[in-house]
Amino acid sequence: MNDLRHPHPQAMSGEELTALFEQVSNWGRWGPDDERGALNHIGAAEVARAAALVREGRTVSLSRDFPTQPGPENPWPAQHHMVIAGDDPCVPGVDGLEVSTDYIGIAFHGMASSHIDALCHVFAQGRMYNDHPATEVKSTGARRNTIMAARDGIVGRGVLLDVPRALGVAFVDPEHLTTAAELQATEAALGVTVGKGDLLMVRLGRDVRRAAMADQAVPGLDPRVVAWLHERQVAVLGGDGVHDPIPSGVVHRDWAMPIHMLGLAGMGLHLMDNLDLEPLAEVCAELGRWTFQLVAAPLRIAGGTGSPLNPIAIF
Amino acid sequence: MNDLRHPHPQAMSGEELTALFEQVSNWGRWGPDDERGALNHIGAAEVARAAALVREGRTVSLSRDFPTQPGPENPWPAQHHMVIAGDDPCVPGVDGLEVSTDYIGIAFHGMASSHIDALCHVFAQGRMYNDHPATEVKSTGARRNTIMAARDGIVGRGVLLDVPRALGVAFVDPEHLTTAAELQATEAALGVTVGKGDLLMVRLGRDVRRAAMADQAVPGLDPRVVAWLHERQVAVLGGDGVHDPIPSGVVHRDWAMPIHMLGLAGMGLHLMDNLDLEPLAEVCAELGRWTFQLVAAPLRIAGGTGSPLNPIAIF
Amino acid sequence: MNDLRHPHPQAMSGEELTALFEQVSNWGRWGPDDERGALNHIGAAEVARAAALVREGRTVSLSRDFPTQPGPENPWPAQHHMVIAGDDPCVPGVDGLEVSTDYIGIAFHGMASSHIDALCHVFAQGRMYNDHPATEVKSTGARRNTIMAARDGIVGRGVLLDVPRALGVAFVDPEHLTTAAELQATEAALGVTVGKGDLLMVRLGRDVRRAAMADQAVPGLDPRVVAWLHERQVAVLGGDGVHDPIPSGVVHRDWAMPIHMLGLAGMGLHLMDNLDLEPLAEVCAELGRWTFQLVAAPLRIAGGTGSPLNPIAIF
Amino acid sequence: MNDLRHPHPQAMSGEELTALFEQVSNWGRWGPDDERGALNHIGAAEVARAAALVREGRTVSLSRDFPTQPGPENPWPAQHHMVIAGDDPCVPGVDGLEVSTDYIGIAFHGMASSHIDALCHVFAQGRMYNDHPATEVKSTGARRNTIMAARDGIVGRGVLLDVPRALGVAFVDPEHLTTAAELQATEAALGVTVGKGDLLMVRLGRDVRRAAMADQAVPGLDPRVVAWLHERQVAVLGGDGVHDPIPSGVVHRDWAMPIHMLGLAGMGLHLMDNLDLEPLAEVCAELGRWTFQLVAAPLRIAGGTGSPLNPIAIF
């Protein structure tokens, strides 16, 4: 996916990325045992205020469908198997009971799967958030920074920055990394200001582009954006891609996916990957507002590196 | 699980159950193609009003942990496998990237799993909600009444009826089926009134009982309760058990799990099974209120009979 | 995979295939309850005689590796997950025990997977071997013609017909369907005669071709070959592809994969698909003989439509 | 499973076990890169000679059925799911094709599963066969001593030592560990002599006992037996249990399962666990001989710690 020989013009050097990591690091900020990271920006006030955004009584899913079909972006499809179907709806041991049941299985960290990354999902030079070694993620489950940090849900103000809409394009070109200045221009165009504790959803138009183009490129953000996220005290970053562009265009092998590394490992910023932001963008445009209550409820997977996710925006 | 030879004193005859099914049936009520059933009781007004219940800015999960450990209530444990752990955090083809990833698999309709039942999960005499034959649930996935009916989330007013608290007992005895009169007494004791579009959570104290007793019995509701749910226009029923008691004590093999059959197949009432209502009960008691905004976000499983679920109560 | 608009020149009409099905059908031949089909051609004498072929004391696997990597021929890769690895080799409840364990999962009827097809795997116009309806294969498992028919292993004389070697080509062109005449020419060239109860392995050079060509075509046999297999009383057919060519070039939608349908459903002929016959071909050429003892041991999957398989040739 | 407070009377001390490990160790014996261990005892002569044992032309499976049903010995049941059944036997993209397919999944190192242990399955004080550290078994797969060492099958002379038959009892009491002297008495009673390269199957009557007794105890061997196996140059040890008794009765936490540790890690002795030896015992008794050709064909799982297995005895 990355190619060190063809660096992106916006690619940062190893020294620059190391300095940026130091700048945005939240290691120790909420104590040595903290596993919530930037979720700490969401306090009771933020939760309560977000609910006040609900007016029209509409709900919108930000999730793609469970990715059972193979494809270039889904080399390891999820399993969905019927265990009992309507052709034989019996349950051994329960006389007369007629049911259907099924089974799902998924390695959810794929490009076709809407999911959340726990803070143990990505390491920077062998360390994860709050200075724990990668080896704390055992073959038998993670011991630190698991998705259980979000077990009571992530609830707050959702903000959609619909970059193509603000820039007047169909989609962002994967060759160009969206900058903080462009996010700010989007804020201005849409009339919103990203702030403390926000669950920031950035739409780059991946799905519109995918329908139009044959290649597998996915637009992404300039790594310098994390400094802006840090300054604004954003609690979660979501996107229609994976924030880092594909292909990555990185120049330093120590920084293969800089936003993941700076965000998850440095800031303790939970990431929501591969969301479907098209329906959300339509509702925002229809209602003329880009803020809403957002509720994300990961499965409570002890030792887990994340979870499949269906975030719900409520207007 | 059921034993036709030892009927429960509150067990209803086949004739009574058939009549009750006719009484509560919503077949055709929202058109021949409807797949949302009682979720239709939740309109925009109900969604908006529920958000106004958020004041303290607290969130509580209603889910148990992902059930990977075997036990008497979990004969088919879920899988949670690390695919890449911190001992070898490399990704083939992506030079320098250090990640951990995992895989989950679950047949989620089990007694240890917090989940939602889609309207295709249970049949009554070979038919499911809105008069579709069981055979519409194929081995390759359900064609009708799948969990996709709830793909944009279930959002509304949650109400906790904490029956043991209202009755002054530690838990409800599985030998006794909680009646509509007792639910109304609980309403009175807690100062709430269940109404149109509510997501009703009924706590019977299963977990308190489980900690105290050696057997596998689970308290449940009297089947006649569905008439009351129907009258009150409840949108969803949740519980710490599976609503039907275990063992079932039914008297007629055509009605092996009457509440599931009357609710899912007749009323089109989505059921949330095996929730952990203990933390919710504590917060309700602490705050002295038993209503809250409730958000449930099933995975978008095309053809699915339900989904694992982590419902979030927001105060 | 098939394209009715571009029929293969060797494609047979529906009438011809129906007549051929009647000709080769073994329905009723070994009684109405028989589920072994052509395996009945292997008697005690055949088993004993096959063992006499062992002289050099060499063993060769006919299986590909467990197909965990995605690719054009493997859209649904198998799972291989470590459950406990050496970074944390503990077993809960067993003090001091240090182990590693793993998990495998596979939908084994894929083009990258060496496997055996049970007689319930393919239907011809809704019927399977010995005139049972397809509906006897339930969502909860097959009731008839399962892989359990081979639970005590398939042991007999293996014969390799190395067609490219005999024809003096690197591989068979997928555009041409190998005929019975060509199989007989191969017999003559190699000095073998296929006979009653043989486990016939036909090498068409798929892997040599795959390494040389970019497309996904796989060479196959002319459907008329089944008449020859029937006449020779072959017990099992194995190949480096799936016997039917890909793409299929069929002309009649009722006969989408004629060899599978004529063989499995008509003759009751177990098929071994996607074997790796390259090492076997090398050993045969080195030893100058194309017959050997062959042992195949399917997993005992009750209700199963086949099994992953590692057949072992013994010289 | 083990209880250090109630040592078995035959339990060996840590010092004795350490000395026995040194005595039977094959580390370095076949070179520093060897991964086949005691399989090296099987040469071409042993393979060829074993085939000469085939006379009657009968085959017998030594495997239990695929363990999909939960139970005290099967807390993590295997998955067997139909992916396509006969109620909807279509294949997307292949017009007219009618098939049924299924999926299997298994963590095969369980007490209900007939399987083979690779030499990386068990460690002794952090080391595995041929002095490799446990950490060479990564979360992403084992790097050393995988089941691929047996990818071309394990073929040789099988010997059944039917201990209860020789001793005139229905089954061996789990309280008593079968000794080398008793194995030799069984040899004498049955008229066989275990020798170089043999695949030794030891029947202790677990299944007969299980049918008669309510507890979960499983009979096993005295750890000192490995010295005898070493001296006899046995290539593989199979059994109806797991060789080590359950409960273990060990006295030293460094030696939780001494036969697994001495055998797999020390001798490089592949173990076949939880076989069903009842049908084999019947055929041996009927034919009056306890030797046969035995063929075991593990799946070719790269990085795997073993495989489910259906060993076939051929008479």
Side-chain angles (χ1 to χ4, degrees):
Chain A
M1 285 158 95
N2 54 356
D3 181 350
L4 303 187
R5 296 160 306 175
H6 297 94
H8 194 278
Q10 290 166 272
M12 298 170 70
S13 72
E15 291 72 24
E16 288 172 313
L17 284 159
T18 301
L20 182 53
F21 190 94
E22 291 305 315
Q23 179 187 336
V24 303
S25 169
N26 285 323
W27 292 9
R29 179 172 180 171
W30 294 287
D33 293 329
D34 178 64
E35 299 194 343
R36 288 176 54 79
L39 293 180
N40 285 299
H41 291 309
I42 311 176
E46 283 75 19
V47 173
R49 233 177 291 149
L53 293 166
V54 177
R55 291 197 296 266
E56 292 85 358
R58 291 178 65 169
T59 69
V60 183
S61 163
L62 276 59
S63 175
R64 299 168 192 277
D65 289 354
F66 199 69
T68 58
Q69 294 309 307
E73 292 192 324
N74 199 20
W76 282 278
Q79 282 86 44
H80 177 222
H81 301 147
M82 301 305 286
V83 176
I84 305 173
D87 65 332
D88 188 30
C90 59
V91 178
V94 190
D95 193 32
L97 186 57
E98 297 174 355
V99 306
S100 67
T101 66
D102 41 12
Y103 172 95
I104 55 169
I106 185 169
F108 49 81
H109 287 293
M111 289 298 297
S113 158
S114 297
H115 66 267
I116 185 169
D117 292 343
L119 300 186
C120 65
H121 171 50
V122 167
F123 313 114
Q125 286 79 61
R127 313 295 292 178
M128 57 177 158
Y129 172 67
N130 231 353
D131 204 16
H132 298 292
T135 49
E136 285 290 285
V137 182
K138 304 288 189 190
S139 60
T140 51
R143 299 286 182 278
R144 284 277 181 183
N145 293 332
T146 76
I147 193 59
M148 291 297 273
R151 65 180 168 276
D152 284 310
I154 299 174
V155 180
R157 184 174 86 140
V159 178
L160 175 67
L161 290 187
D162 186 338
V163 178
R165 178 182 177 88
L167 301 185
V169 296
F171 52 82
V172 173
D173 185 342
E175 295 290 309
H176 171 72
L177 305 184
T178 295
T179 64
E182 286 163 327
L183 295 181
Q184 286 177 288
T186 303
E187 281 185 302
L190 303 178
V192 293
T193 305
V194 174
K196 175 170 181 289
D198 279 351
L199 317 177
L200 176 61
M201 306 290 115
V202 179
R203 178 177 176 268
L204 298 178
R206 172 199 186 180
D207 294 86
V208 175
R209 187 182 181 283
R210 175 73 70 253
M213 314 289 279
D215 69 85
Q216 299 302 317
V218 177
L221 303 174
D222 187 303
R224 294 165 188 87
V225 160
V226 297
W228 183 78
L229 299 174
H230 188 247
E231 186 193 313
R232 293 293 184 93
Q233 299 184 283
V234 161
V236 167
L237 177 64
D240 47 5
V242 290
H243 327 296
D244 284 294
I246 293 176
S248 73
V250 297
V251 290
H252 199 288
R253 90 175 287 291
D254 278 359
W255 295 95
M257 287 188 89
I259 295 174
H260 275 71
M261 297 166 81
L262 294 160
L264 289 166
M267 294 172 63
L269 181 72
H270 284 79
L271 301 176
M272 296 180 185
D273 295 346
N274 306 309
L275 303 178
D276 181 357
L277 298 179
E278 298 308 303
L280 178 66
E282 284 175 32
V283 171
C284 286
E286 178 191 338
L287 300 181
R289 60 186 184 103
W290 280 264
T291 60
F292 40 86
Q293 188 192 28
L294 186 60
V295 178
L299 298 178
R300 296 172 59 123
I301 306 168
T305 72
S307 174
L309 198 72
N310 182 4
I312 304 295
I314 312 170
F315 290 86
Chain B
M1 283 158 98
N2 53 356
D3 182 349
L4 304 187
R5 297 161 305 175
H6 298 92
H8 194 278
Q10 290 165 272
M12 299 170 69
S13 72
E15 291 71 23
E16 289 171 311
L17 284 160
T18 300
L20 181 54
F21 191 92
E22 292 305 316
Q23 177 187 338
V24 303
S25 170
N26 286 323
W27 292 10
R29 178 172 183 172
W30 293 287
D33 293 329
D34 178 63
E35 299 194 343
R36 288 176 53 77
L39 293 180
N40 285 298
H41 291 310
I42 311 176
E46 282 76 18
V47 173
R49 234 177 291 148
L53 292 167
V54 176
R55 291 197 297 265
E56 292 86 357
R58 290 177 66 169
T59 69
V60 183
S61 163
L62 276 59
S63 174
R64 299 169 192 277
D65 288 354
F66 198 70
T68 58
Q69 295 309 307
E73 293 193 324
N74 198 21
W76 283 279
Q79 283 85 44
H80 176 223
H81 302 146
M82 300 305 285
V83 176
I84 306 173
D87 65 332
D88 189 29
C90 59
V91 178
V94 190
D95 193 33
L97 186 57
E98 296 173 355
V99 306
S100 67
T101 68
D102 41 12
Y103 173 96
I104 55 168
I106 185 169
F108 48 80
H109 287 293
M111 289 298 296
S113 159
S114 297
H115 65 268
I116 184 168
D117 292 343
L119 300 186
C120 64
H121 171 51
V122 167
F123 312 114
Q125 286 80 59
R127 313 297 291 177
M128 56 177 158
Y129 172 67
N130 230 353
D131 204 15
H132 298 292
T135 50
E136 285 290 286
V137 182
K138 304 288 189 190
S139 60
T140 52
R143 299 286 182 276
R144 285 278 181 182
N145 293 331
T146 75
I147 193 57
M148 292 297 273
R151 65 180 168 278
D152 284 310
I154 299 175
V155 180
R157 186 175 83 141
V159 178
L160 175 67
L161 290 188
D162 186 340
V163 177
R165 180 183 177 88
L167 301 186
V169 296
F171 52 82
V172 173
D173 185 342
E175 295 290 312
H176 171 73
L177 304 183
T178 296
T179 63
E182 286 162 326
L183 295 182
Q184 286 177 289
T186 304
E187 280 185 303
L190 303 178
V192 293
T193 306
V194 174
K196 176 169 180 289
D198 279 351
L199 316 178
L200 176 61
M201 305 292 113
V202 179
R203 178 176 176 270
L204 299 178
R206 170 198 186 180
D207 295 271
V208 175
R209 186 182 183 282
R210 176 72 70 251
M213 314 288 278
D215 68 85
Q216 299 303 317
V218 177
L221 304 175
D222 187 302
R224 294 164 188 89
V225 160
V226 297
W228 182 79
L229 299 174
H230 188 248
E231 184 192 314
R232 293 292 183 98
Q233 298 184 284
V234 161
V236 168
L237 176 64
D240 48 4
V242 290
H243 327 296
D244 285 295
I246 294 177
S248 73
V250 297
V251 290
H252 198 288
R253 91 176 286 291
D254 277 359
W255 296 96
M257 287 188 89
I259 296 174
H260 275 70
M261 298 166 82
L262 294 160
L264 289 166
M267 296 173 63
L269 181 72
H270 285 80
L271 302 177
M272 296 181 186
D273 295 347
N274 305 310
L275 302 178
D276 181 358
L277 298 178
E278 297 309 303
L280 178 66
E282 284 174 32
V283 172
C284 286
E286 178 190 337
L287 299 182
R289 61 187 183 103
W290 280 265
T291 61
F292 40 86
Q293 188 192 28
L294 185 60
V295 179
L299 298 178
R300 296 172 60 122
I301 306 168
T305 71
S307 173
L309 198 73
N310 183 3
I312 304 295
I314 312 170
F315 290 85
Chain C
M1 285 158 100
N2 55 354
D3 181 350
L4 304 187
R5 296 160 305 173
H6 297 93
H8 194 278
Q10 290 167 274
M12 298 171 69
S13 71
E15 291 71 23
E16 289 172 311
L17 284 159
T18 299
L20 181 54
F21 191 94
E22 291 305 316
Q23 178 186 339
V24 303
S25 169
N26 286 323
W27 292 9
R29 179 171 180 171
W30 294 287
D33 293 329
D34 178 63
E35 299 194 343
R36 288 177 54 79
L39 292 179
N40 284 299
H41 291 308
I42 311 175
E46 283 75 19
V47 173
R49 234 177 290 147
L53 293 166
V54 176
R55 293 198 294 266
E56 293 85 357
R58 289 177 66 167
T59 69
V60 183
S61 164
L62 275 57
S63 174
R64 300 169 192 276
D65 289 354
F66 197 70
T68 58
Q69 294 308 306
E73 292 192 325
N74 199 20
W76 283 278
Q79 283 85 46
H80 176 223
H81 302 148
M82 301 303 286
V83 176
I84 305 173
D87 65 332
D88 187 31
C90 60
V91 179
V94 190
D95 195 33
L97 186 57
E98 297 173 354
V99 306
S100 67
T101 67
D102 41 12
Y103 173 95
I104 56 168
I106 186 168
F108 48 79
H109 286 293
M111 290 297 298
S113 159
S114 297
H115 65 268
I116 185 169
D117 293 341
L119 300 186
C120 64
H121 171 49
V122 167
F123 312 114
Q125 288 80 61
R127 313 295 293 177
M128 55 177 161
Y129 172 67
N130 231 353
D131 203 16
H132 298 292
T135 49
E136 285 290 285
V137 182
K138 304 288 189 190
S139 60
T140 50
R143 300 286 182 276
R144 284 279 181 182
N145 293 332
T146 76
I147 193 58
M148 292 298 274
R151 66 181 168 277
D152 283 310
I154 300 174
V155 179
R157 184 175 85 141
V159 178
L160 175 67
L161 290 188
D162 186 339
V163 178
R165 178 182 179 90
L167 300 186
V169 296
F171 52 82
V172 173
D173 185 341
E175 294 291 308
H176 172 73
L177 304 184
T178 295
T179 63
E182 287 162 327
L183 294 182
Q184 286 178 287
T186 303
E187 280 185 302
L190 303 178
V192 293
T193 305
V194 174
K196 175 170 180 290
D198 280 351
L199 317 178
L200 175 61
M201 305 291 115
V202 179
R203 178 178 176 267
L204 298 179
R206 171 199 187 180
D207 294 270
V208 175
R209 187 182 181 280
R210 176 73 68 251
M213 313 289 278
D215 68 86
Q216 298 303 317
V218 177
L221 303 175
D222 188 302
R224 294 165 188 87
V225 161
V226 297
W228 183 78
L229 299 173
H230 187 246
E231 184 192 315
R232 294 294 183 94
Q233 299 184 282
V234 161
V236 168
L237 175 64
D240 46 5
V242 291
H243 326 297
D244 284 295
I246 294 178
S248 72
V250 296
V251 291
H252 199 289
R253 90 175 287 289
D254 277 359
W255 295 96
M257 287 188 90
I259 296 174
H260 274 72
M261 296 166 82
L262 294 160
L264 288 166
M267 294 171 64
L269 180 72
H270 284 80
L271 301 177
M272 297 181 185
D273 295 347
N274 306 308
L275 302 178
D276 181 359
L277 298 179
E278 298 308 303
L280 179 65
E282 285 174 31
V283 171
C284 286
E286 178 191 337
L287 299 181
R289 60 186 183 104
W290 280 264
T291 59
F292 39 87
Q293 187 191 31
L294 186 60
V295 179
L299 299 178
R300 297 172 58 122
I301 306 168
T305 70
S307 173
L309 197 74
N310 182 5
I312 304 295
I314 312 170
F315 290 85
Chain D
M1 283 157 101
N2 53 357
D3 182 350
L4 305 186
R5 297 161 305 174
H6 298 93
H8 194 277
Q10 290 166 275
M12 299 171 68
S13 71
E15 292 71 24
E16 287 171 313
L17 284 159
T18 300
L20 181 54
F21 191 94
E22 291 304 316
Q23 178 187 338
V24 302
S25 169
N26 285 323
W27 292 9
R29 179 173 180 170
W30 294 286
D33 293 329
D34 178 64
E35 299 194 343
R36 288 176 54 77
L39 293 180
N40 285 297
H41 290 309
I42 311 175
E46 282 75 18
V47 173
R49 233 178 289 147
L53 293 167
V54 177
R55 292 198 296 266
E56 293 85 357
R58 290 178 65 169
T59 69
V60 183
S61 164
L62 276 58
S63 175
R64 300 169 191 276
D65 288 354
F66 198 69
T68 59
Q69 294 309 306
E73 292 192 325
N74 198 20
W76 282 279
Q79 283 84 46
H80 176 223
H81 302 148
M82 301 305 285
V83 176
I84 304 173
D87 64 333
D88 187 32
C90 60
V91 178
V94 190
D95 194 33
L97 186 56
E98 297 173 355
V99 306
S100 67
T101 67
D102 42 10
Y103 172 96
I104 55 167
I106 185 169
F108 49 79
H109 286 293
M111 290 299 295
S113 158
S114 297
H115 66 267
I116 184 169
D117 292 342
L119 300 185
C120 64
H121 171 50
V122 166
F123 313 113
Q125 288 79 58
R127 312 296 291 177
M128 55 177 159
Y129 172 68
N130 231 354
D131 204 15
H132 298 292
T135 50
E136 285 289 285
V137 182
K138 304 288 189 190
S139 60
T140 51
R143 300 287 181 277
R144 284 280 182 182
N145 293 333
T146 75
I147 193 58
M148 292 297 274
R151 65 181 168 275
D152 284 310
I154 300 174
V155 180
R157 184 174 85 141
V159 178
L160 175 66
L161 290 188
D162 186 339
V163 178
R165 178 183 179 88
L167 301 187
V169 296
F171 51 83
V172 173
D173 185 342
E175 295 290 311
H176 171 73
L177 304 183
T178 295
T179 64
E182 287 162 326
L183 295 181
Q184 286 178 288
T186 303
E187 280 185 302
L190 303 177
V192 292
T193 305
V194 174
K196 177 173 178 289
D198 279 352
L199 316 178
L200 175 61
M201 306 291 114
V202 179
R203 179 177 176 269
L204 298 179
R206 171 200 184 178
D207 294 88
V208 175
R209 187 183 181 281
R210 176 73 71 249
M213 313 289 278
D215 68 85
Q216 299 302 316
V218 177
L221 303 175
D222 187 301
R224 294 166 189 85
V225 160
V226 296
W228 182 79
L229 299 173
H230 187 247
E231 184 193 315
R232 294 291 183 98
Q233 298 182 283
V234 161
V236 168
L237 175 64
D240 47 5
V242 290
H243 327 296
D244 285 295
I246 293 177
S248 73
V250 297
V251 290
H252 199 289
R253 89 175 288 289
D254 277 359
W255 296 95
M257 288 189 87
I259 295 174
H260 274 71
M261 297 167 82
L262 294 160
L264 288 166
M267 295 172 64
L269 180 72
H270 284 80
L271 301 177
M272 296 181 185
D273 294 347
N274 305 310
L275 302 177
D276 181 359
L277 299 178
E278 298 308 303
L280 179 66
E282 284 174 32
V283 171
C284 286
E286 177 190 339
L287 299 181
R289 62 186 183 103
W290 280 265
T291 61
F292 39 87
Q293 188 191 29
L294 185 60
V295 179
L299 299 179
R300 295 172 60 122
I301 305 168
T305 70
S307 173
L309 198 74
N310 182 4
I312 304 295
I314 312 169
F315 290 85

